[in-house]
Amino acid sequence: MSFADSSMNSNSVYLTRENVNIIVGALSSGAKKVETTVDCNLTKTKLELLPDEVILGGRSFNFAELRELSHKLTGIIKVEEGNIRRLEFFAGKYYKLRPTRFAPTVEIDGISMHRTQDIDPWEDSRMKTAQVVKKGGIALDTCGGLGYTAIWAVRLGAKEVISVEKDENIRKLRKDNPHSRAFFCAEIQAVEGDIYRLISGFQNEIFDCVIHDPPRFSLAGELYGREFYEQLARILKPGGGMFHYTGNPYSKGRGRNFIQGITARLTEAGFLVKPCPQALGLTAVKR
Ligand SMILES: C[S@@+](CC[C@H](N)C(=O)[O-])C[C@H]1O[C@@H](n2cnc3c(N)ncnc32)[C@H](O)[C@@H]1O
């Protein structure tokens, strides 16, 4: 797999409250070195410490500055060639890459785009993808996000993945996220746009599987509608499978009707539908 994007410099350093706390602790104890992750848990690095400072990503951080960050930082700071950038911003909505135990999630106006309780976003994405991807197939990833489901589709054997993402701010954060690096590879075709509009341009029966991981219903109701499901049935090969993430509607007070509604519309569109509680969704096979 080749990395196709030069903006992702592996010399970049990512600060979170967790690694800043570790550095602050080491500086307080007078240590000369400390081992921690500076790429959001992908690898561990040994950092050289000066008496009251540390050089990270070409920039000096003194003890007071780090201690303040250790109290206040809730997101992720990227330090590259001496420049500091918070991986969160307002652009009509508030976008934030938020650290978890392993791979970051992305929040839009405080709503997380992955499961983060009891499971981290990386494993969440593996589970969604593993329900449908088969070796050698062509996969459609309807809602690309940080690219985790597309990366997993390749790891699980898909020969080609078409991954669609409509929000340029999410695509920007994807470029900055160290866990998204494998997204930029020959097997994944990143498409910028709205799957609801683009789907009509795909040929009949060209995909072996679909990973449908939409935002919640209140944010993208059209991606849960009969018309869209009919398009999904059209572009899937007979016998092809789809995983449709639904979340746990019971926790949001919507309950059984919500799942029954999705199941009924998928069935009418030509799918055989089964619950998939372990991945909080449904699997649907084109009849
Ligand atoms: C739950 S997240 C997907 C997470 C993703 N599967 C991953 O592995 O990181 C939903 C994503 O769908 C995007 N989205 C919402 N509506 C869309 C649409 N109509 N077409 C394409 N992407 C859309 C959102 O911007 C968001 O990034």
Side-chain angles (χ1 to χ4, degrees), residues 106 108 113-114 125 128 141-150 164-167 170 193-196 213-215 220 222-223:
V106 61
I108 306 179
M113 292 291 126
H114 305 89
S125 304
K128 289 167 179 167
D141 179 34
T142 59
C143 296
L146 294 180
Y148 297 165
T149 40
V164 183
E165 172 55 54
K166 83 167 183 184
D167 191 326
I170 297 290
D194 179 342
I195 186 62
Y196 188 76
D213 185 16
E222 71 283 6
L223 300 183

Side-chain angles (χ1 to χ4, degrees), residues 8 70 76-77 113 147 192 199 216 223 227 245 260 275 285:
M8 288 181 307
S70 77
I76 301 177
I77 290 176
M113 292 291 126
E192 301 179 357
I199 198 162
R216 61 176 63 168
L223 300 183
E227 198 186 331
Y245 182 72
Q260 278 178 348
V285 174

